[in-house]
Amino acid sequence: FSCNLSDLLCSLLGLLYQEYRDKSTREEIETRRLQDSQTDPEETSPSEETPSEAEPTSTVENKAPPQISLLRNSNSRFNLWQDLPEVQSSGVLSILQPDEIKLQEAMFELVTSEASYYKSLNLLVSHFMENERLKKILHQSEAHILFSNVLDVMAVSERFLLDLEQRVEENIVISDVCDIVYQHTVNHFSVYITYVSNQTYQERAYKQLLQDKPAFREVISQLELDPKCKGLSFSSFLILPFQRITRLKLLVQNILKKVEEKSDRESTALDAHKELETVVKACNEGVRKMSRTEQMISIQKKLEFKIKSVPIISHSRWLLKQGELQQMNGPKTSRTLRTKKLFREIYLFLFNDLLVICRQIPGDKYQVFDSAPRGLLRVEELEDQGQSLANVFILRLLENADDREASYMLKASSQSEMKRWMISLAPNRRTKFVSFTSRLVDCPQIQCVHPYVAQQPDELSLELADVLNILDKTDDGWIFGERLHDQERGWFPSSMGEEILNPKIRAQNLKECFRVHKSDDSQRRKLGSRNRQ
């Protein structure tokens, strides 16, 4: 781009997308902290504090402000739409209602963040991908796996940004951006699915190249040290498209919370959000499909069946949880345990539709001695049974491999591990707190203040500023939560977040969430049901 809004935006922002995104989410966290600290929410409404969480109550007046070009004063710096010199000098801030100004900020953030994203993509291509030394080191197939279709992704971002710029330049008061988001998502954003689905191979190829090619490692290190990269790693550039498509959905959600209810802009925002959600789900499924297939093949090779063999590999099957538990030997009624020898190690592989119970044998193998469909599992916690029976629960197989009912008394290593197994084995079992999908008026909530990468299949990766309902918690520092913006569930350490204490803020978060998903309630219920499985 030359002499247009994207150049101006990038120069004004001065931030790569990774920096912009981090700054934006940390501001969101601080905003919510400020709202949550209001001791008398009736006196000070949280919607008056900041544009990021406000509920719209009124619409823009019909008085049309003048059209103003943004391609001037390129040496100035700003973060907000209302800080633009053209906006301040035009007098529109005295014309517009406060809620319309908040909506303008939400739409302007979508535009500025796309400009920052494009700047980072451009650096990935020009600084890394097109580096002559790197080209000589990498075989063509290695470069293809490493950079995938990033040129297509960048071309789509450029086209998208040009249309957004044109809309902003039409009038200093932005009419809408979600119609543009909708058109580009439907017609062009499939390139994101291709890129993100390659992520598993991309990560593996990058690790392998670092390990096998010292020259590659050296060039990447030198390129990362360039001031252009601002201390950011090569891998942080590679993951940009997945981060952007997810963030774009959240930016549209933020606009949706601020548009007038039952308006054309609300309808457009709902349409754009629905299409983005489809793309994000396809991206997630693409990543999962690649890794799940390889994982299932690996597990199949490790299993030896003492009972009738069960085919493990299936396109519709994936691993939910695996690990060791202690099985109590002897009759179930024997509750007086004086020695650890009364327990024997067993190993469980829990899939979305099947439980396989094994004992570990030499050679990193597992001998299967029982199994059951997941739908025929029941769990029961033993309470107040003394220290020797702490973290013990009963697992019942209503119909096992021998077509009969079987019970196992199992001991976990901690309270959190016991709860995690119980929720995974019997997903429809009631949790301590009720899910937001039940439309509960109030529920404990937490916001993420430290990002977290899931280490186990039953855990949930968290991004900064994610807000979650707390469905269950343990005394040893784990929370089972449901993220509001996509209803994904999983466990994470409680140290990753801060509980939201103000009931008015919790209610507002739920209200906004219901509004975002109101266009398709049945779809949300289906999604919630699938995530419990």
Side-chain angles (χ1 to χ4, degrees):
F1 302 104
S2 61
C3 193
N4 61 17
L5 182 61
S6 65
D7 278 340
L8 175 64
L9 291 174
C10 285
S11 65
L12 295 174
L13 288 165
L15 298 174
L16 293 173
Y17 183 66
Q18 298 95 312
E19 300 173 295
Y20 185 103
R21 184 170 172 269
D22 186 61
K23 180 174 180 285
S24 175
T25 50
R26 291 199 181 278
E27 284 178 356
E28 194 176 336
I29 289 170
E30 290 306 319
T31 292
R32 208 172 279 120
R33 280 174 175 161
L34 181 64
Q35 293 173 339
D36 198 34
S37 67
Q38 297 295 333
T39 53
D40 187 357
E42 293 303 320
E43 250 179 57
T44 307
S45 169
S47 64
E48 295 170 5
E49 296 296 331
T50 175
S52 68
E53 292 293 330
E55 275 292 315
T57 56
S58 57
T59 61
V60 61
E61 292 185 14
N62 292 325
K63 185 175 177 182
Q67 294 185 6
I68 300 170
S69 170
L70 293 183
L71 304 181
R72 290 183 261 122
N73 303 320
S74 59
N75 293 324
S76 62
R77 301 186 71 82
F78 64 91
N79 291 315
L80 299 173
W81 173 81
Q82 60 192 299
D83 291 337
L84 281 166
E86 292 84 355
V87 172
Q88 293 187 339
S89 63
S90 69
V92 296
L93 294 176
S94 62
I95 296 171
L96 300 178
Q97 296 288 342
D99 288 313
E100 177 64 25
I101 293 173
K102 293 168 186 174
L103 174 58
Q104 290 295 312
E105 297 291 7
M107 292 192 288
F108 191 64
E109 184 183 1
L110 190 145
V111 180
T112 55
S113 62
E114 187 67 28
S116 179
Y117 167 62
Y118 178 79
K119 179 180 179 179
S120 288
L121 275 184
N122 200 22
L123 191 59
L124 171 61
V125 171
S126 62
H127 186 61
F128 290 98
M129 181 178 173
E130 294 178 350
N131 180 270
E132 290 301 325
R133 288 178 63 196
L134 206 57
K135 279 184 179 179
K136 290 175 183 176
I137 294 168
L138 292 176
H139 188 273
Q140 190 174 354
S141 61
E142 293 172 331
H144 178 69
I145 294 172
L146 200 57
F147 295 102
S148 190
N149 64 327
V150 70
L151 291 176
D152 295 336
V153 173
M154 190 168 76
V156 164
S157 175
E158 180 177 357
R159 192 182 299 123
F160 182 42
L161 186 54
L162 281 169
D163 284 351
L164 291 171
E165 286 172 7
Q166 186 176 348
R167 178 62 56 80
V168 173
E169 289 171 339
E170 285 173 4
N171 197 312
I172 199 69
V173 176
I174 307 165
S175 58
D176 198 0
V177 293
C178 288
D179 57 330
I180 297 173
V181 175
Y182 173 81
Q183 291 295 336
H184 281 261
T185 305
V186 170
N187 297 319
H188 307 300
F189 282 6
S190 60
V191 297
Y192 281 96
I193 302 171
T194 304
Y195 186 93
V196 175
S197 296
N198 182 55
Q199 189 175 311
T200 302
Y201 298 122
Q202 184 187 62
E203 289 174 356
R204 185 182 305 151
Y206 180 49
K207 288 177 183 175
Q208 201 68 41
L209 285 166
L210 288 174
Q211 185 178 318
D212 297 345
K213 292 191 173 183
F216 172 81
R217 189 168 61 244
E218 181 186 343
V219 171
I220 290 294
S221 296
Q222 289 176 356
L223 292 174
E224 287 176 335
L225 290 173
D226 192 295
K228 292 178 190 173
C229 295
K230 299 189 177 183
L232 295 163
S233 68
F234 174 54
S235 57
S236 79
F237 286 90
L238 288 178
I239 202 171
L240 283 169
F242 186 40
Q243 291 179 333
R244 179 56 183 169
I245 197 66
T246 307
R247 185 67 181 167
L248 196 56
K249 188 187 85 165
L250 297 181
L251 291 171
V252 170
Q253 281 188 9
N254 198 33
I255 293 170
L256 184 51
K257 295 169 187 175
K258 294 171 173 58
V259 293
E260 318 88 277
E261 295 207 39
K262 299 181 181 177
S263 66
D264 289 342
R265 288 198 291 192
E266 183 189 56
S267 177
T268 307
L270 285 168
D271 289 343
H273 180 265
K274 185 177 179 183
E275 292 301 326
L276 279 169
E277 202 163 45
T278 300
V279 172
V280 171
K281 284 180 195 172
C283 287
N284 285 329
E285 284 304 310
V287 172
R288 288 168 183 163
K289 187 177 179 182
M290 297 287 188
S291 56
R292 282 171 177 172
T293 301
E294 294 186 347
Q295 188 177 45
M296 296 302 289
I297 292 170
S298 173
I299 291 171
Q300 173 83 61
K301 290 177 180 176
K302 294 180 179 180
L303 299 183
E304 293 182 1
F305 284 83
K306 189 177 179 181
I307 55 172
K308 183 181 177 182
S309 179
V310 177
I312 295 296
I313 299 174
S314 166
H315 288 300
S316 59
R317 179 174 294 152
W318 61 88
L319 184 72
L320 293 180
K321 189 168 178 61
Q322 71 180 77
E324 187 177 271
L325 290 168
Q326 303 286 325
Q327 179 195 0
M328 178 184 169
N329 292 323
K332 177 183 170 183
T333 52
S334 176
R335 296 290 175 88
T336 306
L337 307 178
R338 299 187 180 278
T339 170
K340 206 173 180 180
K341 292 180 182 177
L342 289 173
F343 288 101
R344 182 179 180 185
E345 287 108 4
I346 64 169
Y347 202 93
L348 272 57
F349 289 95
L350 178 65
F351 304 100
N352 61 308
D353 61 346
L354 176 71
L355 172 68
V356 174
I357 306 176
C358 322
R359 286 196 177 88
Q360 193 161 8
I361 56 177
D364 195 25
K365 297 278 189 179
Y366 299 89
Q367 187 179 66
V368 181
F369 65 87
D370 210 350
S371 66
R374 184 166 173 242
L376 298 179
L377 304 176
R378 300 292 182 269
V379 292
E380 174 193 344
E381 186 176 351
L382 293 182
E383 296 180 0
D384 301 323
Q385 298 291 333
Q387 186 59 38
S388 56
L389 280 174
N391 309 320
V392 172
F393 66 98
I394 305 295
L395 169 64
R396 285 197 300 129
L397 283 55
L398 300 184
E399 187 177 301
N400 74 348
D402 296 326
D403 298 325
R404 59 182 178 80
E405 185 172 325
S407 290
Y408 294 89
M409 184 180 284
L410 303 174
K411 183 177 176 69
S413 58
S414 64
Q415 185 198 39
S416 59
E417 190 63 11
M418 178 190 71
K419 284 200 170 189
R420 287 170 67 164
W421 271 112
M422 290 178 72
I423 286 175
S424 295
L425 288 162
N428 295 323
R429 181 175 171 272
R430 184 183 175 88
T431 53
K432 185 174 182 179
F433 307 107
V434 182
S435 159
F436 104 95
T437 50
S438 68
R439 296 190 177 273
L440 190 68
V441 175
D442 195 15
C443 177
Q445 288 178 5
I446 192 169
Q447 77 160 331
C448 172
V449 295
H450 303 290
Y452 180 68
V453 178
Q455 306 297 310
Q456 299 291 335
D458 66 337
E459 293 179 11
L460 185 64
S461 291
L462 301 178
E463 297 282 355
L464 284 173
D466 278 351
V467 176
L468 304 98
N469 271 348
I470 299 173
L471 304 185
D472 212 333
K473 58 168 67 172
T474 68
D475 296 336
D476 54 351
W478 284 84
I479 287 174
F480 184 57
E482 181 174 66
R483 188 163 44 216
L484 294 192
H485 78 74
D486 61 4
Q487 290 87 63
E488 289 282 342
R489 290 180 168 194
W491 290 90
F492 55 90
S494 58
S495 57
M496 296 299 109
E498 294 175 354
E499 197 157 340
I500 297 172
L501 302 175
N502 190 323
K504 189 164 186 177
I505 301 304
R506 294 198 297 266
Q508 179 181 305
N509 290 337
L510 289 182
K511 181 182 177 183
E512 290 175 347
C513 195
F514 292 140
R515 186 178 180 194
V516 165
H517 293 279
K518 74 177 182 180
S519 64
D520 198 344
D521 267 353
S522 62
Q523 183 179 346
R524 193 191 68 243
R525 284 195 295 271
K526 287 177 187 174
L527 179 63
S529 173
R530 187 174 76 241
N531 287 328
R532 283 192 290 274
Q533 293 175 2

